[in-house]
Amino acid sequence: PAEAAQSSVEMELSVRTLNALTTEFRTHDESGTLRWVRSTMSPAREPDGSILWTGVIRDVTRERVAEGQVELLKSAIVHSADAIIIFETDPSKTPRSKVLYANPEFERLAGCTGAEIIDQGMNAFRTHDPDGSVNLRIHEALGRDQPLTLEFQGHGRDGKLNWVEGHFNVLRRFDGGVF
């Protein structure tokens, strides 16, 4: 009912202004399955004063389902009890890796906000790594596109050492490309 009322208001405005109208709404197909439909229409006033609508109607159910899944995954990451940080890695750039995202739990453990670390390189994170072996193992594993689980000590913003169980992996798009 709310969708229908909103569509009615939008259509009346489109008739008055003769501007194009794009709406999305739910409907049931012939089998009773709920579908999402996107309609884009343009009104034109005919010589007799009537309105002629031309446009396209498209089934966008798969897009809406995918958007719902993305929202679910976002929520899982934001509300995770695990600290999650996502880096973009490009060997041709310096620094090679930069932070794209850090969830609230990572912010809490590290003692900083996401805004403070977005676009920072890995060197912004201090590990207790006197001989450099932790960073070397991480870079080697990711360079070979192999997952790595590693326990090490990292410094929080307050300088305190924390034990970290890190899981490192290269994320790939569905087409196989690297994010």
Side-chain angles (χ1 to χ4, degrees), residues 21-82:
L21 171 66
T22 299
T23 59
E24 284 191 14
F25 55 91
R26 294 174 292 178
T27 188
H28 290 88
D29 64 17
E30 59 280 351
S31 70
T33 303
L34 182 66
R35 310 298 289 174
W36 278 95
V37 176
R38 180 178 300 136
S39 168
T40 303
M41 303 180 295
S42 295
R45 191 166 310 280
E46 294 290 291
D48 67 359
S50 64
I51 301 292
L52 174 66
W53 292 90
T54 57
V56 177
I57 296 175
R58 199 170 135 236
D59 183 340
V60 292
T61 303
R62 288 188 356 197
E63 291 172 28
R64 293 300 293 251
V65 168
E67 289 168 4
Q69 290 173 336
V70 167
E71 286 303 312
L72 176 65
L73 292 173
K74 280 183 183 176
S75 182
I77 289 171
V78 167
H79 296 98
S80 177
D82 290 328

Side-chain angles (χ1 to χ4, degrees), residues 102-177:
N103 75 341
E105 183 61 14
F106 181 89
E107 293 174 357
R108 186 186 71 73
L109 288 173
C112 59
T113 67
E116 292 174 300
I117 61 172
I118 298 299
D119 291 330
Q120 296 296 312
M122 278 184 88
N123 57 353
F125 303 96
R126 297 185 359 231
T127 60
H128 183 68
D129 188 19
D131 63 359
S133 63
V134 171
N135 285 336
L136 181 63
R137 287 184 64 195
I138 293 168
H139 285 290
E140 285 177 348
L142 295 178
R144 291 189 309 269
D145 198 5
Q146 294 178 336
L148 173 68
T149 298
L150 184 64
E151 284 189 8
F152 57 93
Q153 287 186 296
H155 293 274
R157 175 69 51 97
D158 59 5
K160 192 169 144 187
L161 277 174
N162 300 303
W163 277 102
V164 176
E165 179 182 37
H167 303 276
F168 302 89
N169 206 341
V170 175
L171 300 178
R172 297 205 172 272
R173 295 187 306 259
F174 290 110
D175 67 4

